[in-house]
Amino acid sequence: MKKLNLKTTPIPRLFLSYFIPSLVAMLALSTYSTIDGIFVGKKLGENALAAIGIAWPIFPVLIAFELLFSVGGAAMSSYFLGKGKAFRARIIFSSVFYFALFTSIIGGFTLYYFSDFVALYLGASAILLPLVKEYTEIIYLGAFVIVLHPTLDIFAINDKQPILAMVAMIVGSCMNILLNYLFLFVFDFGIGGAALATILGHSIGTCILLQHFLRKKGNLFLIRAFDVYALLNATKNGIPQSSSEISMSIMMLIFNHTIMNIAGDRGISIYSVVMYMSIIPFTILLSVAQGVQPISSFNYGANLLRRVKEVFYFSLKFSLLVGIILYIAFYSFGSFVIPWFLQDNIASRDALLSLETKKAMNLYFMNFILLGINLVSATFFQSIQKTFISFIITLSYTLLFTLCFVLVLPKFYGFEGIMSAHPLGVLCASIVVFGIILKEQKSGILKSL
């Protein structure tokens, strides 16, 4: 791929050059979970689907651990590349990689040892407990590739290789689909087969990306260096995005326990389908935010401040437009997608399940109209090393307001109150974001850019 000129290429074209490959790569990554849901729902039924829904908070924790180092490290690497300090960028990359590899292996084996306790803590009922354990134990043992794959992906993007990152995600995703089919429908491995397919798909994607860095094809590659100071700085800059995933995991856990108390395993099944369907719109909006980061980080390091401001305002408008289109699309066609996750005989066993799932989806998906503005703003301020502002925005749209609503609304509106909590939380968070932008325009970083 011809290397992009981050200093001179017009912002809309440059943004799309990063957004489109990131979108394809992230959509490919999202199929790891979505395909699990479709195949497990079709082959094993609602209880198995609910079991994965119960286990879902584990994945944001793993991603949070990855983001804690990779997002901050990648932003710092891009910053130093913009300043022409490539060796410093390589030290940061190598330190993040070695630490993530070692700690994710140790963490995975620790979770495996306590798998019974973790499954119960996640909210598994007596019926779902064996299925949750079977699925999660395999995920724990392969946790290191779930961490390394997106870590290498974001560094490849910041090494001006968005196409390579996209290819790695697509190949890994295609293998995940193939292996899911073989393990579930041909070999009858059960729910553990879906977990094994996920791990092997991530492993293939990791290998594709790793060869780029080992063969020193770009400005970033692995060297024999480990800098604790660089790692700590990467951690500081990665706190906002990492806290987003931790907050998401906490909210999933609270949602699971609240739904289990109100609607039981059936409610968890509905929520699981909604969450599986939400992966796609969330991934698209996240790709918009990721398209901002390398451009703003590089130009901020190069002191091209006008371009930094330009990419921020462009991405805000773009994310709002995409959010509106996504909600209209899923509101109009969601009823055709829901049956993908349910067995063919569901109408004879539970005639109202599909209808109630669609109703829940319509409520929950309203959050996507404004969510992109929150994601873009948090990513932008993190990319120019304004960590505290990014953290406030992240905490607002992931945890703070939604938590308040989910603790109150179900007492009055039941299951519908739970599904309404997140859209209302994002609405309140968006008000906070607009307030921060106005303040920064008058007397903060946006005024000086």
Side-chain angles (χ1 to χ4, degrees), residues 312-369:
F312 177 51
Y313 291 136
F314 175 84
S315 59
L316 284 178
K317 298 172 186 175
F318 189 81
S319 65
L320 179 60
L321 176 63
V322 170
I324 294 172
I325 292 173
L326 285 171
Y327 182 74
I328 293 173
F330 277 89
Y331 185 89
S332 302
F333 303 106
S335 57
F336 298 101
V337 181
I338 290 171
W340 296 0
F341 298 90
L342 303 173
Q343 291 184 311
D344 295 335
N345 63 349
I346 189 64
S348 61
R349 293 187 290 107
D350 191 339
L352 297 178
L353 185 65
S354 294
L355 184 62
E356 292 177 17
T357 302
K358 178 61 166 61
K359 187 176 181 180
M361 185 208 74
N362 289 343
L363 286 172
Y364 187 85
F365 274 41
M366 291 181 71
N367 83 87
F368 293 121
I369 296 174

Side-chain angles (χ1 to χ4, degrees), residues 58-71 96 99-105 107 143-144 147-148 151 235 238 241-243 245-246:
I58 293 168
F59 290 99
V61 171
L62 293 176
I63 295 171
F65 179 75
E66 171 258 322
L67 290 174
L68 182 61
F69 305 100
S70 66
V71 171
V96 168
F99 186 80
L101 174 62
F102 176 76
T103 52
S104 59
I105 291 174
F144 69 98
V147 169
L148 289 183
T151 297
T235 302
Q241 299 303 317
S242 180
S243 64
E245 295 295 330
I246 290 293

Side-chain angles (χ1 to χ4, degrees), residues 182-425:
L182 291 175
F183 292 164
L184 287 174
F185 289 90
V186 178
F187 300 120
D188 284 319
F189 284 176
I191 196 171
L196 182 59
T198 296
I199 296 301
L200 292 177
H202 277 295
S203 299
I204 293 168
T206 300
C207 290
I208 292 173
L209 291 167
L210 191 58
Q211 59 82 30
H212 166 76
F213 297 107
L214 292 177
R215 295 170 65 181
K216 302 180 180 179
K217 290 186 173 183
N219 291 316
L220 292 178
F221 49 81
L222 291 169
I223 59 176
R224 293 182 180 180
F226 186 84
D227 188 334
V228 174
Y229 179 74
L231 192 67
L232 291 175
N233 274 336
T235 302
K236 180 183 71 174
N237 289 321
I239 285 175
Q241 299 303 317
S242 180
S243 64
S244 170
E245 295 295 330
I246 290 293
S247 299
M248 191 179 300
S249 180
I250 293 172
M251 288 311 308
M252 286 181 179
L253 190 63
I254 293 172
F255 269 59
N256 281 341
H257 282 277
T258 306
I259 292 171
M260 185 66 77
N261 291 333
I262 292 177
D265 290 346
R266 185 177 183 275
I268 293 292
S269 297
I270 293 174
Y271 177 59
S272 297
V273 174
V274 172
M275 292 306 295
Y276 274 120
M277 293 180 64
S278 72
I279 291 174
I280 299 299
F282 176 79
T283 297
I284 294 172
L285 293 171
L286 183 61
S287 298
V288 176
Q290 288 186 340
V292 175
Q293 184 268 313
I295 304 171
S296 54
S297 292
F298 186 93
N299 283 278
Y300 188 68
N303 204 35
L304 298 173
L305 303 183
R306 182 187 61 80
R307 289 173 62 80
V308 176
K309 183 186 291 187
E310 185 181 352
V311 71
F312 177 51
Y313 291 136
F314 175 84
S315 59
L316 284 178
K317 298 172 186 175
F318 189 81
S319 65
L320 179 60
L321 176 63
V322 170
I324 294 172
I325 292 173
L326 285 171
Y327 182 74
I328 293 173
F330 277 89
Y331 185 89
S332 302
F333 303 106
S335 57
F336 298 101
V337 181
I338 290 171
W340 296 0
F341 298 90
L342 303 173
Q343 291 184 311
D344 295 335
N345 63 349
I346 189 64
S348 61
R349 293 187 290 107
D350 191 339
L352 297 178
L353 185 65
S354 294
L355 184 62
E356 292 177 17
T357 302
K358 178 61 166 61
K359 187 176 181 180
M361 185 208 74
N362 289 343
L363 286 172
Y364 187 85
F365 274 41
M366 291 181 71
N367 83 87
F368 293 121
I369 296 174
L370 295 174
L371 181 61
I373 291 175
N374 291 265
L375 290 169
V376 164
S377 299
T379 301
F380 170 77
F381 284 110
Q382 178 270 328
S383 70
I384 60 171
Q385 303 179 32
K386 302 300 174 183
T387 308
F388 182 72
I389 296 176
S390 180
F391 177 74
I392 292 298
I393 294 172
T394 300
L395 190 64
S396 297
Y397 77 79
T398 56
L399 183 63
L400 183 61
F401 295 110
T402 301
L403 179 61
C404 295
F405 285 118
V406 81
L407 293 176
V408 174
L409 292 181
K411 297 178 182 179
F412 301 97
Y413 302 104
F415 188 73
E416 291 183 6
I418 301 174
M419 291 294 101
S420 301
H422 192 47
L424 290 173

Side-chain angles (χ1 to χ4, degrees), residues 118-141:
V118 175
L120 291 171
Y121 179 75
L122 291 172
S125 65
I127 295 174
L128 300 181
L129 181 60
L131 294 170
V132 174
K133 275 196 62 182
E134 182 182 352
Y135 182 80
T136 56
E137 285 178 348
I138 294 174
I139 294 296
Y140 297 150
L141 293 178

